[in-house]
Amino acid sequence: MKWLSMLLIAMSAMCLAQTAKKLSPDELKALLDKKDIFFLDVREPKELDDVGTIKGYVNIPLGQLESRYQELPKDKLIVTACAHGVRASRAAEILEKHGYKTAGACGILEWKAKNYPVVYPKDTVKK
């Protein structure tokens, strides 16, 4: 029975090690202010229209990431984002599996709660 407990502890540690770092809004702001990062929003386009995103974003929904990750630069540190950070963490794991470097995952709703600026894609569409 002791070996089973040890196995479960080891498996839990492995799962935790594969989880992307969750960035707070303040950590994200510091990264955006100081580093040349690539900001990837993995939400659906309607979510960006409704809630907003961060200036300079690129949108590839999580469901398309496995087939589109080659569109991303390998020479930049990537921050992934979604509403709360869950899908963004999954996206970071996918990217790391393919050799990309990620700084972490964040949630746009937390960013907005701190009154940090957002942009709305529908406002930037040329008419």
Side-chain angles (χ1 to χ4, degrees), residues 48-112:
L48 277 68
D49 289 340
D50 293 344
V51 179
T53 189
I54 294 176
K55 184 178 179 180
Y57 76 96
V58 169
N59 178 230
I60 299 177
L62 181 60
Q64 298 175 17
L65 189 56
E66 280 286 0
S67 63
R68 295 181 58 193
Y69 69 86
Q70 301 91 341
E71 298 173 27
L72 304 175
K74 278 221 170 179
D75 62 340
K76 288 193 176 186
L77 194 58
I78 298 174
V79 170
T80 57
C82 67
H84 297 283
V86 176
R87 288 175 285 174
S89 291
R90 177 68 186 123
E93 290 171 10
I94 291 168
L95 293 174
E96 289 171 2
K97 175 179 81 173
H98 291 289
Y100 290 82
K101 293 179 183 165
T102 64
C106 64
I108 294 297
L109 294 176
E110 292 172 359
W111 175 267
K112 280 186 74 168

Side-chain angles (χ1 to χ4, degrees), residues 9-66:
I9 290 169
M11 290 175 62
S12 295
M14 287 173 49
C15 288
L16 290 174
Q18 295 175 354
T19 302
K21 175 180 173 29
K22 175 76 188 283
L23 298 171
S24 72
D26 294 332
E27 289 172 319
L28 176 58
K29 185 171 183 334
L31 277 172
L32 292 170
D33 288 346
K34 294 182 181 177
K35 292 197 177 189
D36 185 26
I37 65 161
F38 188 88
F39 188 80
L40 177 65
D41 197 316
V42 297
R43 294 175 295 153
E44 295 297 320
K46 176 147 180 36
E47 292 177 271
L48 277 68
D49 289 340
D50 293 344
V51 179
T53 189
I54 294 176
K55 184 178 179 180
Y57 76 96
V58 169
N59 178 230
I60 299 177
L62 181 60
Q64 298 175 17
L65 189 56
E66 280 286 0

